[in-house]
Amino acid sequence: MARRWKRLTPSERVLVAQRYEAGETSIALAREYGVAKSTILSILREANVVVRRQPLTPEQVSQAAALYESGRSLSRVAAELSLKQDTIRLALKAAGVRLRPATGR
C-alpha cells in the first residue's frame, strides 16, 4: 500500500510552532499530526523556532540498556527504538553501561 503523505495547513503549522515553543516535543507533535518528526522540525526551522535538544527519557535509556545487555548490537538497538546509533551509544555510556568492542561490520 502506498504511503499517504499528509500536508499540514498554514494554521496547523503556526499551531505546531506555538505548541513546540510552549514545551511540547517534536515527537509528540509528529504523532498527533500524523507526520514524520522531520516534518515537524522543518516547520519549526521555517518558523525560525530554536529547536531544543531532546535527550532520551529515563525509560528509553532503560529500554536501550536492556536490549543492549541482552546481546543486541548498538545499531540493532538504535533501529528498534527508531533512534540514531550514536544517540544510543552516548546515552548508554552516560548511564554507566559497559560497551562491548565494536565488531567492525
Side-chain angles (χ1 to χ4, degrees):
M1 182 169 142
R3 180 174 177 161
R4 296 203 41 168
W5 296 104
K6 180 173 182 182
R7 281 185 105 31
L8 299 184
T9 65
S11 60
E12 287 174 319
R13 296 168 81 82
V14 168
L15 190 55
V16 162
Q18 291 171 341
R19 289 175 63 183
Y20 183 83
E21 287 183 314
E24 292 190 53
T25 67
S26 57
I27 293 170
L29 290 166
R31 282 188 189 126
E32 182 174 331
Y33 285 95
V35 297
K37 179 182 170 185
S38 60
T39 300
I40 298 296
L41 295 177
S42 292
I43 290 168
L44 296 175
R45 280 192 288 280
E46 288 171 12
N48 294 317
V49 173
V50 175
V51 177
R52 300 182 300 272
R53 189 159 187 240
Q54 297 176 350
L56 299 183
T57 65
E59 294 81 20
Q60 287 174 307
V61 174
S62 179
Q63 184 180 14
L67 291 169
Y68 183 75
E69 290 171 342
S70 76
R72 288 177 176 85
S73 66
L74 284 175
S75 59
R76 180 74 187 259
V77 172
E80 288 186 34
L81 299 180
S82 300
L83 296 166
K84 293 184 178 180
Q85 181 176 331
D86 201 47
T87 300
I88 298 294
R89 185 182 61 75
L90 293 172
L92 293 180
K93 260 181 99 173
V97 174
R98 187 165 181 222
L99 300 178
R100 298 183 297 271
T103 61
R105 286 194 255 166

